[in-house]
């Protein structure tokens, strides 16, 4: 990961990974982890307008959890999907359904135009000025799937170096998010 951690395409991953392993892993609340990570990425120069961390909960009351950071807005914390997520229009045909179904990344450049058949979320993001969308799977040890979604509004979208660094970040983040999410979801689900 040495070359990926160095500066290139305007930002360095090394300080973010250092923070993640030294401090970020102690954040017990995945909402706080999402916000702190997004702010560090932007401070390092990563071209982010939106960062979403989410996971399938597979619990008796929740099907999914997410936190969404959008530049210039308060964190959208504890977005939960109740039972039936897999049948909802917001999920069907979405990039996250792709991740859950295939376990592979999903990327779509949102400029110059989003394909007509693309999920409505991608059209909404493009209408808000987003230029590139990247969703990466983060498999957990227990078989559940989490994801990191990065969106930019930079002209030309993400470069190859940006994508390589975000992929390396997702790999390093997966066990940290898994630990934080397990504790947080247990509190949210309460007794069965």
């Amino acid at each position: 990961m040495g070359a990926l951690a160095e500066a290139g395409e305007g930002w360095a991953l090394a300080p973010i990974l250092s923070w993640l392993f030294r401090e970020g892993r102690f954040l017990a609340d995945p909402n706080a982890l999402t916000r702190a990570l997004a702010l560090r990425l932007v401070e390092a120069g990563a071209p982010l307008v939106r960062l979403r961390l989410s996971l399938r909960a597979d619990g008796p009351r929740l099907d999914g959890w997410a936190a969404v950071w959008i530049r210039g807005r308060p964190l959208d914390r504890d977005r939960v999907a109740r039972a039936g997520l897999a049948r909802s229009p917001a999920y069907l045909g979405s990039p996250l359904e792709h991740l859950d179904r295939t376990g592979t990344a999903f990327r779509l450049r949102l400029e110059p135009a989003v394909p007509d058949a693309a999920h409505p979320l991608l059209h909404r993001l493009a209408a808000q000025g987003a230029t590139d969308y990247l969703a990466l799977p983060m498999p957990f040890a227990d078989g559940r799937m989490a994801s990191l979604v990065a969106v930019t509004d930079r002209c030309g979208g993400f470069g190859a170096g940006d994508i390589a660094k975000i992929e390396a970040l997702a790999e390093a983040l997966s066990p940290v998010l898994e630990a934080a999410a397990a504790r947080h979801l247990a509190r949210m689900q309460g007794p069965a």
Side-chain angles (χ1 to χ4, degrees), residues 65 78 83 138 142 184-185 188:
W65 170 92
D78 284 336
M138 294 191 302
D142 66 4
H184 189 68
L185 287 174
M188 286 181 73

Side-chain angles (χ1 to χ4, degrees), residues 9 11 41 45-49 71 151-154 157-158 162 166:
E9 295 221 37
W11 62 285
L41 283 163
L48 284 183
V49 68
R71 186 177 58 217
V151 179
T152 188
D153 60 356
R154 181 175 67 186
F158 291 119
D162 296 320
I166 296 168

Side-chain angles (χ1 to χ4, degrees), residues 55-121:
L55 62 112
R56 293 301 301 264
D58 295 330
R61 298 185 182 132
L62 301 175
D63 270 356
W65 170 92
V68 181
W69 173 88
I70 299 171
R71 186 177 58 217
R73 295 189 195 169
L75 182 73
D76 188 356
R77 54 182 294 121
D78 284 336
R79 276 191 180 181
V80 295
R82 303 288 176 204
L85 170 69
R87 295 180 307 279
S88 74
Y91 180 76
L92 292 172
S94 71
L96 296 182
E97 181 194 25
H98 169 88
L99 264 79
D100 288 342
R101 190 173 24 80
T102 68
T104 62
F106 177 94
R107 179 183 183 206
L108 184 66
R109 287 191 182 262
L110 304 176
E111 64 176 6
V114 179
D116 290 340
H119 192 270
L121 167 70

